[in-house]
Amino acid sequence: MDWLQAFLPLNLERLSVWIGVLCTLAIYSLLYRENPIYRFFEHMYIGLAAGYSLGPLGVDILYRYWIEPIWIQGYWAWAFVVPYGMYLYFIFSERYGWISRIVIGTLIGASAGLFFQEFSSRYLPQLNSTLQKPLWVSDANPDLTYGMIINNILFVIILLSVLTYFTFSYEQRGPVKRVAIWGRWFLMIGLGAIFGNTVMARMALMIGRIYYLLNDWLLIRVGGG
Amino acid sequence: MLSVDRRWLYLILFVNIVIFLLAPLRMPASISPPVQKFYDEIEKLQPGDLVMISSNWSASTLAENQPQLEAVITHLMRKQVRFTIISIEAQSRDISYRLAERVTKEKGYQYGEQWAHFGFVPNLAVAIKGMVTDLPNTIKQDVRGTAVAELPVVQGVKSLSEYKMIIDVTPTGSVPVWISYSPKNVKILYCPTSVMAAEAYTYLDSGQIKGMITGAKGAQEYEQLLGITGLGAPFANTISFSHLLIIAFILLGNFAMLMNRLQARREA
Amino acid sequence: MSYQHAQDNWFAAIIIGFIALAVLVNILRAQLGAQLYIRRIPGLDAIDEAIGRSTELGRPVTMIPGLTDFGVVAVQALTIFKYITKQIARFATPMRLLSGNPTVFAVAQEAIADAYNEAGRPDLYDPDNVRFLSDRQFAFASGVAGLIQRERVAANFMFGEFFAESLIFAETGNMVGAIQIAGTISFTQVPFFVAACDYTIIGDEFYATSAYLSREPVLLGSLVGQDIAKLLFALTTLGGVIAASIAGTDAPIIKLLGQPGGWEAFWKSVLQGGGQ
Amino acid sequence: MGVLTNLMAQQTIWRLPEESRVLFATLIVAGAFVLILGLIPVLQTLPPRGRRAIIVTVTFLAGLFFAAEFFLPVDWTAIFPKDDPKRNFLTPAIQPAQNVLQIIGALALGLGTFGLVRLHLRNTVQRRAQWGYSIVLLVSFVVMATFSILNTLAEKKIVERGPMLERGFSILFDYTLIQLDAAMFSLVAFYIFSAAYRAFRIRSVEASILMFTAMLVMIGVVPLGAQISPALPTIANWVLAQLNAPAQRAIEFGVGIGGLAMAIRLWLSLERGVT
C-alpha cells in the first residue's frame, strides 16, 4: 500500500516522473513499429523543440546583437542588418526569389573565407604532430624506445597507405593499387575500433534510461545493495 | 537465425540490462592509474579546504556521470572538505542539486555551512573569468536565493584562486575551458563520459589534469577505492554483460551463416 | 595550438597558397580541354539504381543533410542533392529533403527549386517537400525516423556531417528496406553507416562526389589539384619524420612545418646558427 | 594604419546621442527598412547577367573580408611601434561580422520555423491525411514558444518571472523535452545491437577485419575484459591509439584539402553549385 501511494502521480514530483516515463515508453514503442502513440509524441516533440529554439536562438540573439546595440547603446549602423537579412524571406517568391541569393551568397562567401583559418587551425597542427615520430633511435631523441619506434613506423605506413587510397585522379594499378588495398584494410581496422569503442557509451545511455524506469518510477533499488 | 526479427534482439537486450541492473553481482575491477591519481589528489586535501565541482550532465548521460558525482561527493565529505557546485544549464543544475542534497543529508553535511550550489551560469568562459576577479558578484545568488557573500561556506572568499581544486563532471567539452581560464594554482580533476576520455589523455600527460574517472567503469574503480557500494559497480557490470551479449550474437549469426553455406554446398 | 592569423606561422599561408595554385592551375587546364580521369567510386554508381527502384515502387526518396551547419560541407551536400533531384525530376519520383539547420533549409529550398527548373519540370517542385524539422538533435532524429517508417521510403541519401543520430536514420531506413547511400566527413560516424547502409562514401570521397557525378571540367581539374596537395602532405610527412629522426623532435625545422610560432623559432635559430 | 584605427575608434559618429536615443533609433531602423526594401524594385530591373554579377561580387567580398583578416600581417610594430602586434586593421571588425552572421542565422531560424508551421497549418486547414497530428504539433509549438520566449525575456529582466512561468517552463522543458531527448538518444543502443548483428559477418576480408577489431575493442574496454586477460585492455587501447589514429588522420587530411579546394571554388564562384 505504501509503495502504491509513493508510486502514483499524486504530487508534482511524482507527476514529473510519470511524464518522463510516458515520453520514454512512447519513444521506445517505435522499436516495435511506427504507431499512433509514437506519432503523437513525435509531433509533440518537434513542436516543443521548434518552440523552444525561438527563445534562446531567435529572440535572445536578435535582442543581444540587434536590439540592444541600437536602442540601448545607440550604434545605429546595425539597423541595416535585419532588413538585409530579410532578403532571405523572398525565397518562397517565384518572381523575387533571386534576391534571397544575395544573402545566401554572403553566407557562402563568409564560410569560404572562414575556411582558411579553420584549415590552418585544424589540420596543420595535426600535420605537425605526425612529424614528431622519429623512425630510428639516434642521439637527437634520447628518450626513444624500440617499442615507440615500431609504433611510429606503423603510424607513418598506415597514414601514407590510407592517403594513397584517397586519391582519385589517376587509375590505381600495380604497386599503387596494392598499397591502396592495404590502406582500405587499415581503414577498416580504424572503423571497427571506433564501433567497438562507441558501444560502451551507447549502452550506458540505455542503462541510464532503464535505471530511471526502475529506480525513479517503479521505486526498485538497483544493484542489490 | 539469419533472418531473426530484430524486435527479438531488442527485447533480449532490454531484459539483459534489467536483469544485470537488479542482480547483486560484484565483479572486482582493476584500478587504472588515472583513477588512482584522482583518489590520491583528494586524499591530499586538508579539512576545510575549498573545492569547486562543475556538474554539467543531465538525464542522457546519467549512467556515466551520476555514479562519478556520488563517489566524488562521498570522498569530499569523508575528508571534511567544503565544496560548491556550479552548472551551465538549468537541467544539470536541478539534477546535481537534488543528488547532492540526498547524498549530503545521509551524512549530515550542512547546506550553507559545508557545501552550497551556485545554480547555473549561461557562459562558462565568462563566468570563470568573473569568478577569478570577483566571485561573490559573478554568482550573486546560490540556488536557494541566498546572496553568495552571506553563505558561511564561502565566507570571505573573493576569488576562485582561493579554491584548492576544480572537479569537472561532464559529458561535454568543458574541460579545455576550465584549463584555459582557471587560476594556475588550482588543480583540475576530470570526470568525463567514456567517449570524451580519449581526448583527455594529452591533458593528463601534460599535467593540466591531475586525475580522471572515466565513465561508469571509472566510478566503479573509485567506489572500490572508497570501499562503498554505489551505482558504478552495477552500471559497469551491466555494460560488460551487454557487450558480452552483443559479441555472443555476432558469433551466433556467423555460425548460422556458415551452417547455411555448408548446407547449400552439400545440396549442390 | 591554433591559428588566429597566418602570421602565427607563415607556413600556413605558403601551404594554402600552394594548394590554391595547384587547384586553380588544374581547373584552368581542364577548361582548356585537357582530358582528366577520375577513378570509380562504387557507391555513386548505385545512386541511379536507388532512384530507379523508388520510381518502380512509387515510394519517395529522402535526402538528409543532417544537422550540418551552414558552410562548405553543407554546400557540397546540397550540390549532391541537387544532382539527385535532377535525376528524379525526369521520372517525377516523389522526394523529401529533411534538414536540421534552418540556414541549410533556406539554401536547400533554392537549390531544389533550381534543380527542377534545370530539369525542365518546375511544375513538380513543391516547397513543402523541402522541410526543416528541428535544430534539436534528437527531435530531428525522431521526425526523420517517423517519416522514413510512415512513408516507407525506397531510397535514402544521407550526405553531410552527422553525429550520434546517424544510426537512427540508417537503421530505420534499413528496417523499411530502403536502398541507402551515405557520405560523410565525420569519421566517427562512418562505421555505423558502413554497418547499416548499402554504400558509404568515406572521407573526401564526399568532395569528389560532385566531380564524379557531373564530370564537369572545373571539378575534375580541382580533383587533380587536390591529389597534388595530398602528395605534398605525404612528402612533408616523410621528410618531416626523417628530419625528426636526425635532428630530434624539438628541432626548429619541425616546428616550422605547421606549429604556430614555428616560423619565428626557425628563422631565429637559422640567424643564430649563422652567427656562430 | 594608426590613423585609420583611430578613425574607426571615433565612437561619436557611430553612436546616437544619449537623449531621445529610442526615438532616433526607431526612426533609423524604419529608414533602414524603407531603404533596403526599397532597393528591391531597382534590383528587379537588372537583367540575369547583372543579377549574377551582384551575387558573385557579394560572395567574393564576404570571403575576401575573412580571408584578408586571416592572411594580412598583424605585427606592424616595425613601422608603427605603438600598434597592437596581435591584430591588423580588420581584426576589430571580426566580432561585429560574426554577429551579423548570427543575426542572419536567427532570421533563418524564423524562416525554417515558418516553413514548419505553414506545412502543418496547411495539413490542418486542408484536412490532409493525419491532420490531427499536425494540430498536436502546432499546439505544442505555440505553448512552448510562448514559455520559451517569456523565459528568455525574463532572463533579460524585461518581464517578471512568476511562479506560473517558472513551473510551466520547467514541466515543458525539464520534464518533457529533456526526457524525450534522453529516450530518443538511448534508442541508439538498440540500433547498434541490431546493426552489429546483421553487418558483422565473415563475408569478405574487409567485413572480417571490421568485425574482429570491433569485437576486440568491445571486450577490451569493459571491466570484464581485464578479468579475462590483463592484456586485453592494453591491446584495445593500442588498436585505438596506434592503428585507428593514423587512419583517421589520413582521412582528416583528405577532408581538409577537399574542403579547402571547395572553399576556393565557392569563393571565386567557379562552381555551378547551389548559387
Side-chain angles (χ1 to χ4, degrees):
Chain A
M1 231 23 232
D2 287 351
W3 178 84
L4 193 67
Q5 203 135 44
F7 174 67
L8 289 173
L10 298 175
N11 56 39
L12 190 72
E13 205 197 323
R14 283 309 293 170
L15 188 70
S16 72
V17 172
W18 275 81
I19 296 174
V21 168
L22 202 64
C23 291
T24 306
L25 296 179
I27 294 286
Y28 278 15
S29 74
L30 178 70
L31 291 169
Y32 184 68
R33 66 150 61 115
E34 206 271 343
N35 61 73
I37 297 173
Y38 175 79
R39 216 172 296 162
F40 181 91
F41 276 82
E42 174 206 326
H43 283 84
M44 184 180 90
Y45 193 4
I46 292 176
L48 289 176
Y52 174 73
S53 296
L54 286 188
L57 300 176
V59 173
D60 185 54
I61 300 263
L62 284 182
Y63 186 84
R64 194 180 334 181
Y65 296 131
W66 197 62
I67 294 173
E68 213 170 44
I70 299 173
W71 272 275
I72 294 171
Q73 291 156 5
Y75 292 104
W76 55 268
W78 285 101
F80 294 91
V81 177
V82 166
Y84 178 68
M86 291 286 227
Y87 277 4
L88 209 53
Y89 283 64
F90 284 97
I91 219 153
F92 294 116
S93 154
E94 220 163 284
R95 198 156 162 242
Y96 295 99
W98 77 276
I99 294 212
S100 64
R101 293 188 187 201
I102 300 177
V103 182
I104 293 172
T106 316
L107 294 172
I108 289 179
S111 52
L114 280 165
F115 199 83
F116 296 112
Q117 189 189 347
E118 190 185 328
F119 179 83
S120 310
S121 286
R122 196 161 153 193
Y123 303 107
L124 294 184
Q126 286 195 47
L127 175 66
N128 187 260
S129 81
T130 314
L131 308 183
Q132 319 218 340
K133 301 199 177 293
L135 301 181
W136 62 83
V137 180
S138 69
D139 297 341
N141 301 298
D143 305 333
L144 222 54
T145 62
Y146 282 97
M148 283 154 79
I149 293 284
I150 293 171
N151 280 339
N152 288 353
I153 293 174
L154 207 57
F155 194 101
V156 173
I157 290 176
I158 296 178
L159 180 86
L160 294 180
S161 55
V162 176
L163 208 53
T164 306
Y165 173 72
F166 283 104
T167 50
F168 303 99
S169 61
Y170 59 94
E171 194 177 356
Q172 296 176 344
R173 58 180 144 192
V176 177
K177 178 150 197 187
R178 231 164 294 148
V179 172
I181 288 177
W182 273 95
R184 181 126 182 127
W185 289 348
F186 283 128
L187 189 63
M188 288 302 145
I189 294 180
L191 297 179
I194 290 182
F195 195 106
N197 196 39
T198 316
V199 173
M200 175 147 92
R202 300 298 177 252
M203 288 305 143
L205 292 172
M206 194 179 25
I207 290 168
R209 270 293 92 182
I210 295 180
Y211 171 76
Y212 175 74
L213 293 180
L214 294 175
N215 185 74
D216 291 35
W217 186 46
L218 297 173
L219 306 168
I220 301 173
R221 284 281 285 173
V222 158
Chain B
M1 196 60 210
L2 277 175
S3 57
V4 58
D5 190 332
R6 70 185 84 209
R7 282 174 283 201
W8 286 112
L9 299 179
Y10 299 152
L11 187 67
I12 291 167
L13 182 63
F14 190 88
V15 171
N16 175 71
I17 286 179
V18 171
I19 288 175
F20 282 104
L21 272 181
L22 295 177
L25 191 78
R26 293 266 172 279
M27 273 199 310
S30 51
I31 312 295
S32 57
V35 173
Q36 186 67 50
K37 272 161 91 183
F38 197 113
Y39 182 83
D40 295 343
E41 283 297 335
I42 293 191
E43 276 297 303
K44 280 186 216 156
L45 292 175
Q46 300 301 318
D49 280 349
L50 252 179
V51 173
M52 175 72 83
I53 300 176
S54 162
S55 173
N56 295 323
W57 53 280
S58 60
S60 298
T61 57
L62 176 149
E64 303 204 75
N65 293 127
Q66 178 170 341
Q68 292 170 337
L69 185 60
E70 274 195 54
V72 165
I73 292 180
T74 309
H75 197 187
L76 292 178
M77 289 192 299
R78 198 178 279 181
K79 296 297 292 180
Q80 289 294 310
V81 170
R82 293 179 291 162
F83 65 91
T84 55
I85 307 177
I86 195 162
S87 299
I88 43 177
E89 280 172 319
Q91 66 266 31
S92 41
R93 170 198 62 192
D94 293 349
I95 207 162
S96 58
Y97 176 57
R98 262 186 304 226
L99 182 123
E101 215 178 20
R102 173 170 61 76
V103 178
T104 50
K105 230 172 228 160
E106 284 167 13
K107 292 284 184 312
Y109 233 56
Q110 291 298 317
Y111 187 89
E113 303 283 330
Q114 289 164 298
W115 76 284
H117 198 303
F118 283 167
F120 78 101
V121 287
N123 183 329
L124 187 61
V126 174
I128 299 174
K129 280 194 222 167
M131 285 194 289
V132 173
T133 49
D134 185 355
L135 184 125
N137 277 319
T138 306
I139 307 297
K140 293 195 179 84
Q141 286 185 348
D142 76 344
V143 74
R144 296 185 178 180
T146 318
V148 168
E150 286 160 26
L151 280 172
V153 60
V154 284
Q155 197 70 66
V157 174
K158 283 268 164 278
S159 160
L160 189 61
S161 55
E162 291 166 54
Y163 278 71
K164 284 282 183 292
M165 188 181 278
I166 292 160
I167 300 174
D168 194 12
V169 187
T170 179
T172 62
S174 55
V175 85
V177 184
W178 282 105
I179 291 173
S180 309
Y181 296 109
S182 63
K184 292 289 160 275
N185 60 324
V186 186
K187 292 172 180 167
I188 298 175
L189 301 181
Y190 188 30
C191 300
T193 51
S194 53
V195 268
M196 295 300 291
E199 293 165 24
Y201 276 96
T202 43
Y203 297 125
L204 211 55
D205 285 342
S206 58
Q208 287 162 298
I209 296 172
K210 299 287 180 205
M212 180 163 81
I213 301 179
T214 305
K217 181 175 69 158
Q220 180 194 17
E221 296 166 23
Y222 209 81
E223 286 165 5
Q224 208 167 305
L225 284 172
L226 289 171
I228 57 168
T229 46
L231 289 171
F235 286 175
N237 282 335
T238 314
I239 291 175
S240 281
F241 282 99
S242 58
H243 278 211
L244 214 55
L245 179 83
I246 296 177
I247 291 173
F249 268 80
I250 294 174
L251 293 176
L252 267 175
N254 278 290
F255 182 71
M257 185 184 75
L258 289 177
M259 282 320 209
N260 274 9
R261 258 191 221 167
L262 275 180
Q263 201 172 0
R265 200 168 295 166
R266 221 174 286 146
E267 278 164 14
Chain C
M1 286 287 276
S2 78
Y3 285 77
Q4 289 305 317
H5 293 94
Q7 192 167 24
D8 292 339
N9 186 345
W10 287 113
F11 176 75
I14 293 171
I15 204 158
I16 290 175
F18 181 88
I19 296 173
L21 199 68
V23 167
L24 291 175
V25 164
N26 280 294
I27 287 179
L28 199 67
R29 263 185 64 210
Q31 281 179 330
L32 293 175
Q35 283 302 309
L36 298 175
Y37 176 87
I38 180 165
R39 79 160 161 84
R40 214 176 139 250
I41 302 175
L44 298 176
D45 295 333
I47 288 182
D48 290 334
E49 178 197 336
I51 294 171
R53 215 176 89 93
S54 295
T55 312
E56 240 167 66
L57 295 172
R59 302 204 309 233
V61 171
T62 41
M63 303 175 208
I64 306 171
L67 295 158
T68 320
D69 272 334
F70 188 76
V72 171
V73 180
V75 174
Q76 173 65 12
L78 292 179
T79 311
I80 299 169
F81 290 147
K82 198 174 159 185
Y83 171 84
I84 296 173
T85 309
K86 271 197 238 169
Q87 300 300 308
I88 61 179
R90 295 185 308 183
F91 312 110
T93 315
M95 62 81 77
R96 311 270 181 275
L97 191 149
L98 307 169
S99 168
N101 178 293
T103 314
V104 175
F105 156 78
V107 180
Q109 273 300 350
E110 197 66 18
I112 297 303
D114 233 30
Y116 278 111
N117 269 327
E118 284 171 28
R121 296 299 304 269
D123 54 306
L124 289 175
Y125 168 66
D126 175 359
D128 280 350
N129 285 339
V130 179
R131 292 182 197 169
F132 166 73
L133 289 178
S134 175
D135 57 346
R136 195 174 184 84
Q137 187 179 13
F138 289 101
F140 177 64
S142 85
V144 173
L147 186 133
I148 287 178
Q149 291 225 357
R150 269 194 298 281
E151 310 208 346
R152 304 196 67 76
V153 302
N156 183 18
F157 300 104
M158 295 168 277
F159 284 92
E161 208 169 349
F162 291 87
F163 306 91
E165 76 286 353
S166 64
L167 195 57
I168 298 181
F169 305 156
E171 272 295 290
T172 32
N174 185 288
M175 246 176 252
V176 297
I179 295 190
Q180 303 198 90
I181 301 170
T184 181
I185 60 151
S186 327
F187 188 67
T188 48
Q189 301 310 319
V190 173
F192 307 110
F193 282 142
V194 168
C197 295
D198 299 271
Y199 297 97
T200 309
I201 311 295
I202 303 171
D204 78 322
E205 286 178 342
F206 173 69
Y207 285 114
T209 300
S210 46
Y212 190 84
L213 294 174
S214 69
R215 313 275 160 149
E216 259 183 58
V218 170
L219 302 178
L220 291 175
S222 171
L223 219 48
V224 177
Q226 283 161 241
D227 278 0
I228 294 173
K230 272 172 229 163
L231 185 66
L232 175 76
F233 266 61
L235 291 177
T236 312
T237 304
L238 266 182
V241 288
I242 290 170
S245 311
I246 296 168
T249 50
D250 286 333
I253 177 80
I254 300 295
K255 292 204 173 96
L256 173 72
L257 299 173
Q259 205 175 88
W263 184 267
E264 269 163 41
F266 177 75
W267 288 107
K268 205 185 266 176
S269 85
V270 168
L271 293 177
Q272 276 170 356
Q276 276 167 2
Chain D
M1 185 67 46
V3 182
L4 199 63
T5 319
N6 271 335
L7 195 70
M8 299 286 282
Q10 283 285 327
Q11 305 243 320
T12 43
I13 54 164
W14 295 106
R15 287 187 85 163
L16 297 168
E18 291 258 9
E19 47 192 310
S20 46
R21 183 173 274 175
V22 175
L23 178 71
F24 281 132
T26 314
L27 281 176
I28 285 198
V29 170
F33 267 96
V34 171
L35 197 69
I36 300 258
L37 298 181
L39 264 180
I40 290 170
V42 182
L43 288 170
Q44 201 63 24
T45 59
L46 286 168
R49 274 181 65 185
R51 293 177 183 183
R52 172 127 184 98
I54 285 191
I55 296 166
V56 168
T57 314
V58 165
T59 308
F60 180 73
L61 289 179
L64 184 66
F65 169 73
F66 287 103
E69 198 278 330
F70 178 68
F71 284 115
L72 285 180
V74 285
D75 191 350
W76 291 84
T77 44
I79 309 166
F80 305 103
K82 281 186 184 159
D83 217 35
D84 182 350
K86 285 198 164 53
R87 50 172 230 181
N88 54 41
F89 75 101
L90 286 172
T91 310
I94 280 289
Q95 193 55 48
Q98 294 277 16
N99 294 355
V100 170
L101 296 180
Q102 292 255 22
I103 293 173
I104 295 179
L107 293 173
L109 180 73
L111 187 68
T113 312
F114 168 73
L116 184 74
V117 171
R118 189 183 62 169
L119 171 69
H120 289 279
L121 272 179
R122 272 191 203 162
N123 283 354
T124 313
V125 172
Q126 298 173 5
R127 301 282 154 98
R128 291 183 193 168
Q130 314 267 356
W131 59 275
Y133 296 106
S134 292
I135 292 187
V136 173
L137 189 144
L138 291 172
V139 169
S140 46
F141 167 76
V142 170
V143 174
M144 187 62 171
T146 314
F147 275 99
S148 178
I149 289 172
L150 283 177
N151 186 57
T152 306
L153 294 178
E155 272 166 22
K156 311 252 171 238
K157 308 260 186 273
I158 296 171
V159 299
E160 187 81 21
R161 187 196 296 276
M164 171 75 188
L165 171 60
E166 184 126 351
R167 188 157 293 174
F169 184 71
S170 164
I171 287 175
L172 288 172
F173 186 72
D174 299 325
Y175 300 146
T176 313
L177 196 55
I178 294 294
Q179 298 294 340
L180 284 165
D181 280 343
M184 199 70 208
F185 196 0
S186 68
L187 279 190
V188 180
F190 293 105
Y191 291 151
I192 217 170
F193 183 25
S194 56
Y197 174 72
R198 203 181 53 244
F200 289 171
R201 299 275 161 85
I202 333 177
R203 274 195 212 106
S204 60
V205 183
E206 285 183 12
S208 311
I209 296 176
L210 193 69
M211 181 187 107
F212 280 116
T213 26
M215 291 208 298
L216 178 74
V217 173
M218 225 187 283
I219 200 71
V221 292
V222 290
L224 195 65
Q227 298 294 316
I228 296 170
S229 158
L232 268 174
T234 323
I235 296 174
N237 275 328
W238 182 77
V239 171
L240 271 170
Q242 296 300 332
L243 302 185
N244 171 41
Q248 180 159 2
R249 192 161 294 171
I251 293 223
E252 286 267 298
F253 286 168
V255 166
I257 291 167
L260 186 62
M262 178 88 185
I264 292 167
R265 296 198 306 265
L266 288 175
W267 182 26
L268 304 176
S269 295
L270 285 172
E271 178 151 332
R272 288 286 306 132
V274 296
T275 50

